[in-house]
């Protein structure tokens, strides 16, 4: 069965960077794009961007351009999202989700990774 | 920007009664391939979002048939024919038509049992 398993919770200081991983299993990793979506406590869902694991091509929401980098390691079927220059407003649960186009868009989600930014 | 506006934002419903959530987009969601990439998600307390409906009206595997999606262009609706206790949570619409530039979610509608 399709699974996306994310790395554990992180606590970071303002100005630091965080890198969250998303390990895929149960399907061919390079056949589906990966999205990253975040959710601040008690708030709605916010799309951050996508990555094509086959080509490495990425697209980022304008809000995060310059601060976010999405990469992958195809040998271990894992996608990564790195967010830099962290501020308190980046405290949120970060999700990866499979697929961005066609019938499989956003059909499977990871369990989420809580990133807390605090001095 | 493509803005997705949901209403109501809070929806108290009696068990066994129907519920309806509206989602309106600021631009047409019809893609160049003729499809409309409008999804509905359910997020139960403490859980990740779960996709219920894709491309306006297609129900995902395992989703009860009391959930249905409809609409076109800029106006969309999620209906629950008879609300059950397990339906409590927040419901989001999402447009994927304007990818790769932008994917946007509605603000969410919190469904609770009266």
């Amino acid at each position: 069965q399709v699974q996306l398993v994310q790395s554990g919770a992180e606590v970071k200081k303002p100005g630091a960077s965080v890198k969250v991983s998303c390990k895929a299993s149960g399907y061919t990793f390079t056949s589906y794009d990966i999205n990253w979506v975040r959710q601040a406590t008690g708030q709605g869902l916010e799309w951050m961007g996508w990555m094509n694991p086959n080509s490495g091509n990425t697209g980022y929401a304008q809000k995060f351009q310059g601060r976010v980098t999405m990469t992958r390691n195809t040998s271990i079927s894992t996608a990564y999202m790195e967010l830099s220059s962290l501020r308190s407003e980046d405290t949120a649960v970060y999700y990866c989700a499979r697929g961005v186009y066609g019938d499989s868009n956003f059909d499977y989600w990871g369990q989420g990774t809580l990133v807390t930014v605090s001095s | 920007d493509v803005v997705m506006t949901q209403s109501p934002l809070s929806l108290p419903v009696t068990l066994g009664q129907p519920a309806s959530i509206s989602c309106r987009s600021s631009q047409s969601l019809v893609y160049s391939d003729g499809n409309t990439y409008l999804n509905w998600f359910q997020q139960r307390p403490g859980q990740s979002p779960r996709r219920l409906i894709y491309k306006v009206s297609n129900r995902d595997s395992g989703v009860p048939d009391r959930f249905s999606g409809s609409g076109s262009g800029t106006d969309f609706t999620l209906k629950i024919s008879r609300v059950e206790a397990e339906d409590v949570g927040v419901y989001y619409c999402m447009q994927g038509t304007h990818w790769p530039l932008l994917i946007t979610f509605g603000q969410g509608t919190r469904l609770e049992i009266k």
Side-chain angles (χ1 to χ4, degrees):
Chain A
Q1 72 283 22
V2 174
Q3 279 194 304
L4 299 173
V5 178
Q6 299 183 221
S7 48
E10 303 260 15
V11 179
K12 295 291 183 181
K13 293 196 182 304
S17 297
V18 68
K19 191 171 186 177
V20 179
S21 69
C22 171
K23 182 171 178 58
S25 62
Y27 72 98
T28 302
F29 176 62
T30 51
S31 295
Y32 297 84
D33 299 325
I34 291 285
N35 298 278
W36 290 91
V37 175
R38 78 177 187 180
Q39 184 173 39
T41 303
Q43 302 300 307
L45 301 170
E46 182 176 34
W47 179 72
M48 300 178 68
W50 64 276
M51 180 194 64
N52 181 308
N54 186 44
S55 63
N57 287 347
T58 56
Y60 304 138
Q62 192 167 11
K63 175 177 179 176
F64 298 101
Q65 283 183 9
R67 276 209 309 144
V68 72
T69 305
M70 296 176 187
T71 57
R72 88 288 191 210
N73 182 334
T74 56
S75 67
I76 56 172
S77 300
T78 301
Y80 302 93
M81 186 283 300
E82 184 170 20
L83 189 62
S84 62
S85 302
L86 290 169
R87 34 211 188 226
S88 59
E89 310 90 87
D90 294 319
T91 294
V93 175
Y94 290 76
Y95 295 100
C96 59
R98 189 184 81 158
V100 73
Y101 178 73
D103 291 359
S104 299
N105 73 98
F106 291 83
D107 59 352
Y108 289 91
W109 292 61
Q111 84 275 21
T113 297
L114 174 62
V115 175
T116 303
V117 182
S118 173
S119 54
Chain B
D1 276 14
V2 181
V3 178
M4 305 296 288
T5 303
Q6 289 182 229
S7 62
L9 299 184
S10 177
L11 184 55
V13 184
T14 302
L15 285 173
Q17 293 301 301
S20 180
I21 301 170
S22 169
C23 176
R24 290 184 173 168
S25 65
S26 59
Q27 299 179 30
S28 172
L29 297 187
V30 180
Y31 192 54
S32 55
D33 64 3
N35 289 306
T36 299
Y37 291 96
L38 185 286
N39 294 347
W40 288 96
F41 297 89
Q42 175 195 61
Q43 188 175 33
R44 291 171 171 151
Q47 294 187 12
S48 301
R50 168 200 182 194
R51 196 179 72 174
L52 298 176
I53 302 284
Y54 64 97
K55 289 195 302 186
V56 180
S57 59
N58 295 274
R59 205 166 34 245
D60 271 282
S61 174
V63 174
D65 60 8
R66 63 178 182 276
F67 289 92
S68 64
S70 63
S72 63
T74 60
D75 287 349
F76 305 93
T77 303
L78 176 70
K79 291 184 178 177
I80 309 173
S81 59
R82 293 173 308 280
V83 169
E84 298 188 6
E86 66 178 17
D87 300 336
V88 165
V90 182
Y91 292 80
Y92 295 93
C93 61
M94 183 212 86
Q95 70 81 16
T97 292
H98 294 272
W99 172 83
L101 291 179
L102 186 64
I103 288 174
T104 41
F105 291 88
Q107 318 98 299
T109 295
R110 185 172 301 275
L111 186 148
E112 61 180 40
I113 304 300
K114 242 190 243 181

